[in-house]
Structures are given as C-alpha cells and as structure tokens.
Amino acid sequence: MCLRYEHHGFVHPEKLLVQLFPAGPYIAYGERFYMCEPNNRLLPCRWNIRASHFNPYKPKELQRLTGNVTSTVTVNDDCWAKVVVDVRSNNQWKENAFVFNFNDGACRVLKENIPAFYKQVLKGKDEGGCTIPPGVYEVNNTPVDWSFPKVPLLPYGSWRFRLTFGKAENLYACFVINAKNVPKTD
C-alpha cells in the first residue's frame, strides 16, 4: 500500500507524516509490565513490576515503580537483544511496527537507550563496562524518568514493547511493557 499526500500536483511527504502520524517530543509512561515466556517456561531473568498511574494534570511528575527484577545469569555486552514494538490502532495491535535486532551489546543498548531504568532499577553505573550481575534488584516507589535519548521524537499513541535478550541460542528473558506517550508540555 502506497500512501501519498498531494497538493496541486506536488507531493509533500513531511505533511503526510504529520497528518498520518502526529509525532514530536513526548512524555512516555508504562501501564503494564509482564512476562512473555514461551510455553510458560521459566526464564533466568524475570520481573514483577507495578507502576504508579500517570497523572495528565502533572505530566512532569515521574512515574514510580515498585517490585523487582531477578536474574540468575550475568547480562553483559556478550548478550544479544531484540525489541519488537507493536502499535495500537483501530482498537487492535498492529504487530511489528518497529523491530530492532542487536547481535551483541545488550547491556550497552539498555544503558544508552533507557538510562534511568538502567540506573534506578538495575543499579547500573555510568562509568566502566556494562555488566548486570545475577541478583534481585528491588525498587520501592522509585521514580523513573522514561526518557529515551536515542529516540527524541515518536508518534503519539499506545505501544507494546517486547524485549527479549539472551546469549548465543539461550533465551534469558522476555519482558513486555504496555506503554503510552503523549505530547511533551513546557
């Protein structure tokens, strides 16, 4: 399917994108965090996270997380990662809107793309190599800034992020976040 926006015979792709996909700077927040383990098989990395509700009247107030991430394996840059992003449209999920494959560097990818989650939840450090050792990482009403420095603009809407990562042929985790983003206000 080819979409075109024409005005007096000229194609204006920038107007098409704005009309079809209103996008810009955004505030993101998670609504539901759950596992997507294949065949109900327990994986070495699990999470049990609850998030505070987003208050549209206080959009700059950070969302707070309570729960834990538990891992029995080390996650480092020898691991691979895959992120599949689905978008909600016409009252159903449109799967595979975006698919990102990282053949290695899973820890670095997390650190660079979701820095607040890496620091606040996984207790990661800015300096040194990127390694998340086995352990239980607890949060209790911990504020998290859902900013994504490598993705400053995004169409507004409802999203489902499926993050899988592992090492070689071994799957370590399958995490899902149902999230929304709204226009950023000044």
Side-chain angles (χ1 to χ4, degrees):
M1 176 173 162
C2 180
L3 300 173
R4 291 174 53 132
Y5 173 85
E6 292 190 31
H7 179 62
H8 302 291
F10 299 102
V11 176
H12 299 280
E14 68 280 356
K15 289 185 180 179
L16 170 68
L17 289 175
V18 170
Q19 285 185 342
L20 290 178
F21 308 106
Y26 58 92
I27 297 170
Y29 59 96
E31 292 189 317
R32 184 172 172 229
F33 298 74
Y34 56 101
M35 302 292 300
C36 53
E37 296 167 317
N39 302 321
N40 295 322
R41 185 181 80 197
L42 293 179
L43 296 174
C45 298
R46 305 183 48 74
W47 69 3
N48 181 16
I49 299 279
R50 285 189 333 267
S52 62
H53 293 285
F54 175 73
N55 183 348
Y57 297 107
K58 297 180 183 177
K60 293 183 180 180
E61 190 174 277
L62 295 180
Q63 191 169 39
R64 298 184 170 274
L65 300 182
T66 299
N68 68 72
V69 176
T70 303
S71 178
T72 59
V73 294
T74 298
V75 178
N76 57 27
D77 285 337
D78 293 333
C79 296
W80 54 264
K82 180 176 183 179
V83 181
V84 177
V85 184
D86 306 329
V87 64
R88 189 89 175 156
S89 179
N90 294 326
N91 210 27
Q92 63 185 2
W93 288 109
K94 307 296 184 188
E95 295 188 349
N96 305 319
F98 300 104
V99 177
F100 304 98
N101 286 301
F102 304 95
N103 294 331
D104 58 13
C107 187
R108 178 186 45 78
V109 166
L110 177 66
K111 180 179 179 178
E112 292 175 356
N113 286 284
I114 317 173
F117 186 84
Y118 174 75
K119 289 178 196 173
Q120 298 288 70
V121 178
L122 300 174
K123 317 304 184 213
K125 306 286 185 231
D126 284 333
E127 63 281 339
C130 190
T131 298
I132 303 166
V136 178
Y137 300 89
E138 293 185 71
V139 288
N140 187 14
N141 207 30
T142 304
V144 174
D145 177 10
W146 293 114
S147 60
F148 303 88
K150 301 232 179 201
V151 187
L153 305 174
L154 194 66
Y156 306 122
S158 297
W159 304 89
R160 179 172 59 198
F161 295 85
R162 285 177 283 151
L163 167 64
T164 55
F165 60 89
K167 192 170 186 179
E169 68 282 346
N170 298 316
L171 179 63
Y172 286 173
C174 186
F175 297 148
V176 181
I177 302 173
N178 288 2
K180 287 189 178 175
N181 68 329
V182 295
K184 186 177 263 185
T185 57
D186 291 329

